[in-house]
Structure formats: C-alpha cells, structure tokens
Amino acid sequence: MCEKALSAELIQYPKSELPTQYYLHLAQLKLQMRQYDIAERNIEEALIHDYTNSNCWAILGHIKYLTNNYKEARSAYERTLALMDIADNMHIIYLRLASIYLGEKLYENAKDTFLLACKHSPSCLSWLGVGIASYRLGNLSEAEEALSEANVLNNHDPEVWGYLSLVCLRTNREEEAEQAYKYALKVGLANKELLQEISDQQKVIGFGNPLVSTILS
C-alpha cells in the first residue's frame, strides 16, 4: 500500500528529481511510522542526490528532534532556514528550533525564531514562546504583551497563566498575580519547574499565593 502511494506521488516529478523525491517521501512515511533509523537512512540517501534540498534537511531535523538529539536537530533546522528554497511546514520548524534555543538558554535566538513562527502562522504556542524568551531576557512589558496575545488565542493554556503570574509578581501587581496563579492551577498547570519558580518568586515578593492570603486573613 505504501509503495503504491509513493509511486503515485512520484509521477509528478521530472526524472532528474526522482531519486531525491523517492527517498524523501520514503523517509516521511517511515517518520510517520516512527521507524526513525530507517527514516534517517532514507533521508541521508536523499541528501546524497540533492544536498541543498530544504525539505530533506527539515525531515532530518524532525528525526533528530523526535529522538531527542537536539544538537543535531538544531544544526539541521538552521541549515533548512539558510537555504534558498522554503521547506514545507515551516511553522513546526520554527517552533521546534525555537524550543531548542530556549532549552539552551539562547533567549534572543529563541525570541527571534518564535517571532518568525508568529509572523508565519500565529498560535498560542508561538506567542507563549515569545513571552517566555522575553521574560528570561528581563523584558517584562514585551513578555506581558506576548503572553496576552497567546491568551487571546487560547485562554485555557496553563503555562500562559503561569508566566503571566510571574510577570505580575515581578511588577508588584498583587491581585493580578494571585488571579493569574489561581487560574493557572484551575486549568491544570502541571509544569513542576514553573510551579516551583512561581512559588519561589511568591516567597521573595511576599504575595501572589491566594491560598496563603486566605489563611493569613
């Protein structure tokens, strides 16, 4: 069945592109089947035939990302963006590369790449990424603007509310900090690192936890 679908897909390409497209599409099929080793072998074969194919580098990036090899995923994604041809599904490439930058604490790179994702196809996740990167850079007003954009697109994302609580804590807005934190918990904030960071900031600032405020009153 897969071979028939692949044959039908390849009819549209000129003969000179067939080797590249054959291995590229085969790699995509194996990627969907989570057969990452086979997918990687196929995409490497595709790159032998066309080393400047942006879709090939993007697929290699996806393989590396999904197998937690973020260093090589970053390299493949960066090469994808450097090529003249625009790869398919750029939004996911921007998001994954930006998330790698966040993990490496390259916050300016992360912010710029998340903004590319926002320009290409704005989503809650892309604006949340801009907000997180801006917060880490200490740009609290920019962080709040980005988080507000994320909230417009999805007002039930717990991490958006969590980071909004952090911004309000850092800007001494007690009531808003407590409301954002309370809502983050209500919609299921489960990120342990973020919860701990909020808790630590609440202790430093001396407010922001509505549960503590209720007990003291």
Side-chain angles (χ1 to χ4, degrees):
M1 182 67 73
C2 290
E3 286 76 8
K4 288 183 179 179
L6 186 55
S7 298
E9 181 70 28
L10 292 173
I11 290 174
Q12 64 182 300
Y13 296 102
K15 287 184 178 180
S16 60
E17 295 183 22
L18 281 178
T20 303
Q21 295 301 326
Y22 172 80
Y23 286 109
L24 171 59
H25 284 82
L26 191 57
Q28 290 173 322
L29 286 172
K30 297 302 181 181
L31 181 60
Q32 291 172 2
M33 297 166 68
R34 300 183 181 180
Q35 296 178 3
Y36 300 123
D37 290 343
I38 300 174
E40 185 171 350
R41 287 199 296 271
N42 284 309
I43 207 64
E44 287 174 350
E45 190 67 32
L47 284 166
I48 289 173
H49 293 282
D50 186 356
Y51 199 71
T52 60
N53 188 298
S54 59
N55 281 316
C56 289
W57 285 106
I59 293 298
L60 181 59
H62 296 330
I63 294 167
K64 297 297 185 180
Y65 184 89
L66 292 170
T67 53
N68 301 320
N69 189 338
Y70 298 123
K71 182 177 180 181
E72 293 189 21
R74 171 186 164 183
S75 177
Y77 286 143
E78 288 176 337
R79 188 178 290 272
T80 303
L81 299 186
L83 292 168
M84 294 292 291
D85 293 336
I86 298 175
D88 299 333
N89 301 317
M90 286 300 298
H91 189 67
I92 192 170
I93 294 169
Y94 289 138
L95 290 179
R96 287 179 172 175
L97 178 57
S99 71
I100 292 170
Y101 287 143
L102 265 188
E104 295 178 346
K105 299 184 179 181
L106 298 172
Y107 299 127
E108 286 286 0
N109 295 37
K111 178 184 173 183
D112 291 343
T113 310
F114 275 123
L115 281 170
L116 286 173
C118 292
K119 182 178 180 181
H120 181 265
S121 179
S123 65
C124 176
L125 191 57
S126 62
W127 279 115
L128 171 60
V130 176
I132 294 172
S134 298
Y135 179 81
R136 299 302 176 202
L137 289 165
N139 300 329
L140 300 182
S141 60
E142 291 182 13
E144 185 169 4
E145 288 178 15
L147 292 167
S148 296
E149 291 287 346
N151 211 351
V152 169
L153 294 169
N154 179 8
N155 66 355
H156 287 84
D157 187 293
E159 293 202 9
V160 172
W161 287 105
Y163 277 98
L164 279 170
S165 182
L166 280 174
V167 170
C168 292
L169 285 167
R170 293 278 300 277
T171 51
N172 296 311
R173 289 142 62 192
E174 180 175 356
E175 184 175 351
E176 290 175 79
E178 291 185 356
Q179 289 176 345
Y181 178 63
K182 186 176 181 180
Y183 201 77
L185 295 179
K186 181 180 179 180
V187 294
L189 181 59
N191 184 324
K192 292 182 179 179
E193 291 183 359
L194 180 54
L195 283 166
Q196 186 61 54
E197 184 174 4
I198 295 171
S199 176
D200 292 342
Q201 193 66 37
Q202 287 169 344
K203 291 173 184 175
V204 170
I205 302 299
F207 62 76
N209 188 332
L211 298 178
V212 173
S213 300
T214 302
I215 292 170
L216 291 177
S217 61

